[in-house]
Amino acid sequence: MIVPANPALIVGDMQKGILASYPFARQPVPAQLSLLSAARAGGLLVIFVRTHLRPTGADVSANNPLFQRFHQAGNLFHEGAEATEIAAELEARADEAVVGKRRTSAFAGTDLDLLLRAGHVDSLVLTGVATSAMVAATLVDALDLDYRVTVVSDACADAEPDVHDFFMERVFPARGARVTTSRAWIEDHRPEA
């Protein structure tokens, strides 16, 4: 038996510094704006996720070269820096949560699961950058936590388009996630007249 879904929209790593520094990260913004409008109109829980590391580096292990590079990038990923704020055009509303993360997955060491369970959420609509990093890691953790996951392909992006396509066409469906477009998701979730 399939229980009706209570979804939340997750917008991941769409922060000022990432959009300014990585041109591919701007690609999903139009689709995300459409999804945000539809989700807000439908009363869905909206949660923004951003990466921010302690300026001291206390949360960056010598065993993690990726996050060492992020930390060494300076204010681009430092907690409290303007670069880690959500991009202005996607700005979170006062009633929407912003979850700070210190690893790739939006679940690793954060209170995201608590927020979702408090909102009786059982499924995620996942968007953000990069497809092969934040989106993939969050998807795997969400599935392990028994959430149903829909990934909105045009609301995600990766620096390598062929990698994005591979994840959308092969990896995510093989893991049990639904992959769709923003237009199709919005059409499927229009309020009944």
Side-chain angles (χ1 to χ4, degrees):
M1 175 170 94
I2 296 179
V3 179
N6 181 28
L9 176 63
I10 306 295
V11 181
D13 285 348
M14 300 300 291
Q15 52 205 65
K16 291 178 181 181
I18 291 175
L19 270 64
S21 300
Y22 303 98
F24 80 88
R26 295 209 57 79
Q27 294 170 6
V29 170
Q32 289 171 343
L33 288 170
S34 295
L35 288 167
L36 281 166
S37 179
R40 288 166 173 161
L44 270 64
L45 181 65
V46 173
I47 299 177
F48 291 84
V49 180
R50 64 185 178 147
T51 300
H52 64 169
L53 305 170
R54 287 180 174 88
T56 63
D59 49 5
V60 180
S61 169
N63 297 332
N64 192 328
L66 175 64
F67 277 80
Q68 288 229 334
R69 285 194 307 274
F70 287 168
H71 184 263
Q72 291 164 358
N75 284 340
L76 185 60
F77 293 105
H78 285 185
E79 184 175 46
E82 184 178 348
T84 66
E85 294 175 7
I86 303 302
E89 61 265 44
L90 298 168
E91 187 174 0
R93 293 184 178 176
D95 62 339
E96 295 169 343
V98 177
V99 172
K101 67 185 181 73
R102 300 178 196 283
R103 290 296 179 267
T104 307
S105 169
F107 286 99
T110 73
D111 62 353
L112 178 59
D113 187 50
L114 178 124
L115 291 168
L116 295 170
R117 298 208 187 271
H120 305 286
V121 168
D122 61 7
S123 59
L124 305 182
V125 179
L126 189 53
T127 74
V129 295
T131 305
S132 62
M134 186 284 303
V135 177
T138 301
L139 178 139
V140 170
D141 283 352
L143 293 172
D144 280 349
L145 291 167
D146 298 324
Y147 291 100
R148 287 181 275 181
V149 180
T150 297
V151 183
V152 184
S153 60
D154 57 327
C156 299
D158 198 277
E160 300 179 51
D162 60 326
V163 171
H164 170 85
D165 293 343
F166 179 73
F167 273 85
M168 294 296 171
E169 295 166 12
R170 303 277 305 276
V171 176
F172 295 159
R175 298 294 180 272
R178 177 177 177 242
V179 177
T180 191
T181 64
S182 59
R183 174 178 271 172
W185 189 88
I186 290 167
E187 189 61 36
D188 287 348
H189 292 83
R190 285 195 193 284
E192 294 181 20

